[in-house]
Amino acid sequence: MHDDHSQQPRRSTLMRVILVRLVLALALGLLVASGYIRAGFLDIPNRLNPFTPLRIADDVSWLTRWKLSRLERDGAQCLAVLDGSQVSHRIVPDRASEEGCGLSNAVEVSQSSVRLSGSFTATCPLTVAWALFEQHVLLPAAREHLGQNIVSVMHFGTYACRNINHRAGGRRSEHATANAIDIAGFVLANGQQITVKGDWAGGDTHQRAFLRTLRDGACRFFDVVLSPNYNEAHYNHFHFDMGSYRACR
């Protein structure tokens, strides 16, 4: 019994040594692999390469959200991503923030892969998130649930120097910096309109499923997604933004 007890500290020490060596070996392996990837010796798809910029057309992967977040700190790369997309845009000059309202790293969007009910000004990261949503959620969902293509998007705009829910007090809305967009509805190829106001609760099974797929899919790209399920203020639109909070309602 005495011998068994005396061996226990040695075994524990040995296990710790083995564990440390395994961790170091794993870290070294990751470091070497990262070097090979950076140098181009390992050919992996862009969507799985953490060192390459985001591309709108790439299949969505676990890295997509991380690559999107990098664009909030790199305005030049964000614009380069937009230049490689189907979003028609022009750079908008920065506007000094006054009372919590202003523009920084923003673009004016006139059209994407579908028509828009009007041009809008938005931060570059919000615009990239919209392009991802459109490509990987909106268009596939319309074909899946409605058997048609989307030809136009109806929106309530982006920039508005105001507080959340138009309150007199409180913090500024993400709309105050053009970092949010409100989506009201969609026009199908046959001319039919699907609206959040009319079809979230009142539409047929396919229309309701379509809108809920959009809400759920938007949460993959936007930081905050609010639907009629959130509160009465959103009874007629989806709110998408790229702010500092996280919500999917």
Side-chain angles (χ1 to χ4, degrees):
M1 293 294 291
H2 178 74
D3 290 340
D4 289 342
H5 284 296
S6 65
Q7 292 297 323
Q8 287 180 358
R10 295 180 182 177
R11 290 170 183 169
S12 298
T13 301
L14 179 60
M15 290 302 296
R16 285 197 295 270
V17 170
I18 292 174
L19 180 60
V20 168
R21 289 179 176 177
L22 287 174
V23 170
L24 290 175
L26 178 60
L28 179 61
L30 290 174
L31 184 63
V32 171
S34 297
Y36 282 143
I37 293 172
R38 283 180 180 272
F41 295 136
L42 290 180
D43 185 17
I44 63 175
N46 186 77
R47 65 187 180 88
L48 299 177
N49 190 336
F51 304 110
T52 56
L54 176 69
R55 285 198 303 232
I56 304 298
D58 285 342
D59 291 338
V60 178
S61 75
W62 61 276
L63 281 173
T64 302
R65 182 83 191 198
W66 179 71
K67 288 187 175 187
L68 178 58
S69 69
R70 290 194 310 190
L71 302 183
E72 298 181 25
R73 303 181 298 274
D74 191 336
Q77 186 178 108
C78 188
L79 291 172
V81 171
L82 277 185
D83 288 340
S85 73
Q86 298 184 57
V87 177
S88 299
H89 64 282
R90 68 175 184 85
I91 298 174
V92 175
D94 289 353
R95 184 186 306 168
S97 178
E98 297 180 3
E99 299 181 352
C101 300
L103 296 176
S104 177
N105 190 26
V107 296
E108 181 180 344
V109 178
S110 56
Q111 185 172 330
S112 51
S113 60
V114 298
R115 293 194 304 271
L116 302 170
S117 59
S119 61
F120 61 78
T121 297
T123 61
C124 183
L126 178 72
T127 306
V128 171
W130 170 260
L132 286 166
F133 166 77
E134 189 177 274
Q135 178 77 23
H136 300 287
V137 179
L138 175 60
L139 300 182
R143 291 189 288 267
E144 176 185 355
H145 294 289
L146 306 174
Q148 293 191 59
N149 288 323
I150 296 290
V151 297
S152 182
V153 173
M154 299 176 286
H155 66 85
F156 289 154
T158 52
Y159 179 75
C161 185
R162 62 174 176 81
N163 294 336
I164 294 176
N165 292 335
H166 300 272
R167 295 170 183 159
R171 64 184 177 87
R172 287 298 194 190
S173 166
E174 291 298 323
H175 285 287
T177 53
N179 204 29
I181 185 169
D182 291 338
I183 303 299
F186 312 89
V187 181
L188 304 180
N190 66 356
Q192 180 185 5
Q193 293 187 2
I194 306 295
T195 66
V196 176
K197 178 181 178 180
D199 299 308
W200 179 263
D204 62 28
T205 302
H206 299 291
Q207 293 163 348
R208 293 195 300 271
F210 166 68
L211 291 175
R212 281 157 178 77
T213 297
L214 298 190
R215 188 270 312 277
D216 295 345
C219 298
R220 299 161 68 188
F221 307 115
F222 299 98
D223 289 330
V224 172
V225 175
L226 304 178
S227 73
N229 279 5
Y230 179 58
N231 62 16
E232 292 183 0
H234 295 84
Y235 77 99
N236 64 348
H237 69 278
F238 292 136
H239 169 95
F240 301 153
D241 78 46
M242 296 297 286
S244 57
Y245 295 87
R246 289 285 291 160
C248 182
R249 302 286 292 276

